[in-house]
Every structure is written in structure tokens, then in C-alpha cells.
Amino acid sequence: MHRVDLSNSATTALLHRMVKELSAASDFDGAFKTFMTLFPLARPLELFVGVAPVEGEPDAYRVTYVVDVRDLASGKPVPSRFAELGREQALPICRGGFVAEQIRDQEIKLVVELDLRSDPVLGDQARDLGSCFVIPTFHGSRVVEWAFCFSRPRQAAPIQAIESALMTANFMTMLNLQLTSLAEVQRLNTALVSEYEEIGRLQRALLPERLPSVPGLEFAASYMTSDRAGGDYYDFFTLPDGRLGILVADASGHGAAAATVMAMFHAIVHSFADHAARPHAMLEYANARLRHARLDGSFITAFFGVYDPGRRSLDYASAGHNPPRLWRFDGPPPSVESLDGAGSPPLGVLDSLGGASEVIELRAGDLLLLYTDGVTEAFSGRREQFGVHRLDAILAQAAGDPHRVVEAICQGVRQHTGAGAREDDQTLVAIALRK
């Protein structure tokens, strides 16, 4: 076995270069100019004419490009292609002549001993040329364009040259379709990203502009989406007698759909007349409105609590949401409790939630952590969840400081997941009770 040396074949080297440059093309106009610059150096052709048939009119066509190799040899640049395939309607319709005769069927042709001096369309460009390959190019089983390749000799060309022209012309058509599709995908992706960013901007506008200022309480929060728009939500409600409503919610899924559902939920909870009532009543109200909206499989988990500074108590209810963690310094050592009472199904699933509110007494030094499942269900590279046990371990080490707790949890989740993108939205709200 031995390898044949091709280094002395100038044509092979030229075609190799052409194919390599075409494969790197980002738009068809550039690919077309590359092809027209290099291909005539490998094949003795003088004129290229592109023709798109007019559907339903056998003798009608549009000329999509004309490239005279003699002009290129004199230093003129390759002209741009007149139109992309499928968008030739702006070009004038031509009829009759040599072209109309050749495109009445789908067959490849070699025409010799030409005399086109009186041709109504090609008479000026091809008057002194003697032969022509007529190459159909296909999309599916339909001819979308014809390539007319003229040369000066009036006799037949080698059959290998015709076969090569057939393959090359159809390769260029496929490249055109591919690059046109890629450009359309990029355009649509840019528009979609812009819409996502606008949805994300509007969704973030639903969040509180600033954390509440309540005597005896210290707040910290973090809100991070898995995409440009998220389905997590937190909010605060200033109530009579200095009481404070605290809400954290999570729409199923993430992205634009979840953000849209959460925008609906925001409007619902802000239309509730009496947030100072038992928190369970607010969740029942939201559930009824969401059921009426028929979310088709979407649902929301939510935790809503009302803090009473006079009694230092939290009246709360949960609709399928992750139980908040309550750090107490009874210590040493401190303990972490789970507020898993007052539970009911997620909002938007059943006609009635059932259940009721719960009340818990809080003490100076306590820290309440509300979060969404994107935190505890964040996966490592080995598909291991971050879990509640890691959350509690960080809480136990953060000494009841809400800012330190939020920062440490965010750092812990990042270390757990590595450099991977967030698979779900992640929201944290930490509230510490001071003396």
C-alpha cells in the first residue's frame, strides 16, 4: 500500500482550497464570490448565468446572476448574487430564447455549436461562446435554479466535466439553503433573546424596589433566574399596626412561561383586599383566581406569612412550598427548625386548598430563611442535589446574620454545581430578629 502524491495537481489544490473556504463561509454572498473567484481557475469556463424558473409558466424565468469570467480576469470584482433562493420575485421575468428551451424539463444538458447572437436575453453576453452545460439544481425533487455554464470551444466537453458541474452546482445550492436557513435562525434567535430580556426586565420590576425597613428586623435577599426570565417571586406587604406580610412563590417550570404566570400571580395577590387576615385566606383567594384562569398544567407554590412585631409572632400558610428554615440560638449549639405546618397543595391544582394557618412565636436572635426549590434541588456534576442538609449546615455556621447567610448559601450552591448554568430559578429571603 502506498499513498499517491497529489502535490503536483494544481487543480486538486485549487478545489481543495475552494471547498475549505466555502465550508467556513458565514453568508452566501461571500460563498458565492469565493466560488466564482476560484472555480473558473480549475475549469475552462467563460460565463455563468443563474436562472430561476417561474412556477406555472414553463417558458418564464428570472435571471438571478450573471458572472463573466473575462471581467474577473481583468480585475473586476465578483458581483453580488441578485437574490437568495425563494426571494427572486423582485427580479424581472424573462421569456423565450435559449434559456426557455433548456428549462422545459429537469434534465442536465450539454449544448454545443452555439449561436446566440440573436438571443433575446443572452445575446450580448454569450454571442461568441460555443458550448454550455445546463445544470439543474434541486431542493427536494423540485428544480429551484438552473446554472448555465458557458465555454468558448464549440465541441463537446469530457463527460467528467459535466458530472463535476452537476455535483458542484447542487453543492452550492445546498450551501445557499443552509446559510439562508442559518441566517433566519440567527435572526429569530436574536428577536427571541430580545423578547426574553424584555420579559425578564418586566418580571424583575414586579419584585420590591428595596427591602422593608421594620424596627427589630434585618433583611437580606437574593434573586437569580435560570434564564433571562424567571418564575420565582418574593414580596412584602406593609399592613396595619406595623405588621408585615412576607411572600415567596415559585411557578412551575422556568423561563418566559413561568414569568408570565408569576406576573398574573403578582396581580392577584395585590388585588387581595385584606392581607392582614389569616394568611390561608389570601392563598385560597389566589387559588380560586388561578383555577378560574385555567393554567393548563401550570401551578404555583407559595408561602405567605404575617409578622406581628408586637407579639413577635408569625402567622403563616403554605401551598406546596418548601418549608422555610428557622434558625434559633437556644445554644449553644443553635438549632434549625422546619416550618412544615399549615401545608396544602400548590395553587391552581384543586378547587379548594383545605388546611389552615399556623402561628409560631419568634424570639430575638432568630433567623427565618425562605427559599425556592431551585436552591435545594441544584445539581452537582454527579447529579447530586444540594439538599436541605447543606442548607441547614450553612445556616448553623452563619451566626444568625442574614447577609452572611444569603452570601454563604449562594457561594455553597455555586461550589456544588460548579461552572454549570442554573437549571432552575433560585431565590432566598433571610429575616433576622434583633433585640
Side-chain angles (χ1 to χ4, degrees):
M1 181 178 67
H2 68 280
R3 188 175 70 179
V4 177
D5 184 10
L6 301 177
S7 60
N8 293 325
S9 173
T11 300
T12 300
L14 190 64
L15 292 175
H16 180 269
R17 173 190 168 191
M18 183 185 71
V19 171
K20 183 178 180 181
E21 292 187 13
L22 288 175
S23 70
S26 59
D27 63 88
F28 188 70
D29 193 50
F32 181 75
K33 292 180 179 180
T34 295
F35 175 79
M36 287 300 176
T37 300
L38 298 178
F39 189 73
L41 302 178
R43 296 286 182 263
L45 298 170
E46 304 287 341
L47 179 71
F48 295 87
V49 178
V51 170
V54 176
E55 189 173 358
E57 299 185 47
D59 291 339
Y61 54 91
R62 294 179 172 91
V63 177
T64 55
Y65 62 85
V66 176
V67 177
D68 194 322
V69 176
R70 294 162 293 188
D71 290 341
L72 302 184
S74 65
K76 290 184 179 180
V78 177
S80 297
R81 200 168 186 277
F82 292 169
E84 295 176 358
L85 289 179
R87 300 181 181 178
E88 304 90 353
Q89 288 75 14
L91 298 175
I93 294 178
C94 304
R95 290 182 171 85
F98 174 71
V99 170
E101 294 176 4
Q102 308 309 316
I103 65 173
R104 287 170 183 163
D105 56 45
Q106 296 187 346
E107 300 301 319
I108 184 173
K109 304 171 182 71
L110 170 61
V111 185
V112 299
E113 299 184 0
L114 291 175
D115 183 0
L116 300 180
R117 288 174 293 180
S118 60
D119 189 87
V121 177
L122 300 179
D124 292 338
Q125 293 97 338
R127 59 186 309 115
D128 58 347
L129 300 177
S131 60
C132 179
F133 302 157
V134 183
I135 309 296
T137 61
F138 295 88
H139 183 208
S141 60
R142 183 173 64 92
V143 176
V144 292
E145 192 172 36
W146 292 85
F148 286 71
C149 309
F150 293 90
S151 60
R152 193 172 300 279
R154 298 175 60 81
Q155 65 273 19
I159 190 65
Q160 292 85 354
I162 303 172
E163 294 169 346
S164 174
L166 176 64
M167 298 301 295
T168 302
N170 278 274
F171 168 77
M172 289 299 295
T173 295
M174 288 186 286
L175 180 62
N176 183 13
L177 293 168
Q178 178 183 348
L179 291 175
T180 300
S181 298
L182 178 61
E184 180 66 8
V185 168
Q186 291 172 336
R187 184 190 69 80
L188 292 174
N189 185 63
T190 299
L192 185 61
V193 168
S194 178
E195 290 181 8
Y196 260 106
E197 290 175 344
E198 179 64 13
I199 292 171
R201 185 189 68 79
L202 294 174
Q203 198 274 338
R204 287 189 293 273
L206 303 179
L207 303 176
E209 291 186 13
R210 61 185 64 86
L211 296 175
S213 177
V214 178
L217 298 183
E218 185 177 354
F219 297 84
S222 171
Y223 172 83
M224 295 181 290
T225 64
S226 63
D227 209 331
R228 291 174 175 84
D232 281 4
Y233 170 52
Y234 71 91
D235 211 340
F236 303 97
F237 302 85
T238 301
L239 306 177
D241 303 325
R243 286 173 292 177
L244 179 71
I246 305 163
L247 174 67
V248 172
D250 180 5
S252 57
H254 49 81
T260 302
V261 171
M262 196 52 76
M264 181 188 304
F265 181 65
H266 173 273
I268 290 171
V269 297
H270 278 265
S271 69
F272 185 60
D274 186 8
H275 293 89
R278 301 284 287 180
H280 184 264
M282 195 276 280
L283 295 183
E284 280 282 14
Y285 172 80
N287 181 69
R289 296 290 300 273
L290 291 170
R291 287 290 288 170
H292 181 73
R294 293 182 296 184
L295 298 179
D296 294 331
S298 295
F299 60 86
I300 295 174
T301 68
F303 177 94
F304 182 60
V306 174
Y307 174 70
D308 185 333
R311 297 167 50 201
R312 284 205 162 180
S313 64
L314 182 73
D315 189 355
Y316 72 91
S318 176
H321 199 76
N322 302 78
R325 318 306 290 172
L326 177 60
W327 183 92
R328 289 189 185 274
F329 188 74
D330 297 327
S335 63
V336 178
E337 300 177 10
S338 176
L339 299 191
D340 50 13
S344 63
L347 305 176
V349 177
L350 302 177
D351 290 335
S352 178
L353 295 180
S357 300
E358 293 276 345
V359 179
I360 186 171
E361 300 299 323
L362 301 176
R363 300 188 291 271
D366 288 349
L367 183 140
L368 180 66
L369 177 69
L370 293 82
Y371 62 97
T372 58
D373 60 10
V375 176
T376 51
E377 295 178 6
F379 285 98
S380 69
R382 297 180 179 180
R383 304 306 294 171
E384 180 184 2
Q385 291 187 351
F386 185 72
V388 175
H389 63 289
R390 290 186 175 87
L391 195 68
D392 288 349
I394 293 174
L395 272 173
Q397 297 171 5
D401 182 286
H403 299 282
R404 188 181 303 173
V405 164
V406 168
E407 182 179 347
I409 293 173
C410 290
Q411 182 178 355
V413 172
R414 284 194 299 269
Q415 291 174 346
H416 180 74
T417 57
R422 284 183 293 276
E423 297 182 20
D424 198 0
D425 310 321
Q426 298 172 1
T427 297
L428 296 164
V429 175
I431 306 170
L433 279 74
R434 300 308 186 197
K435 293 181 179 180

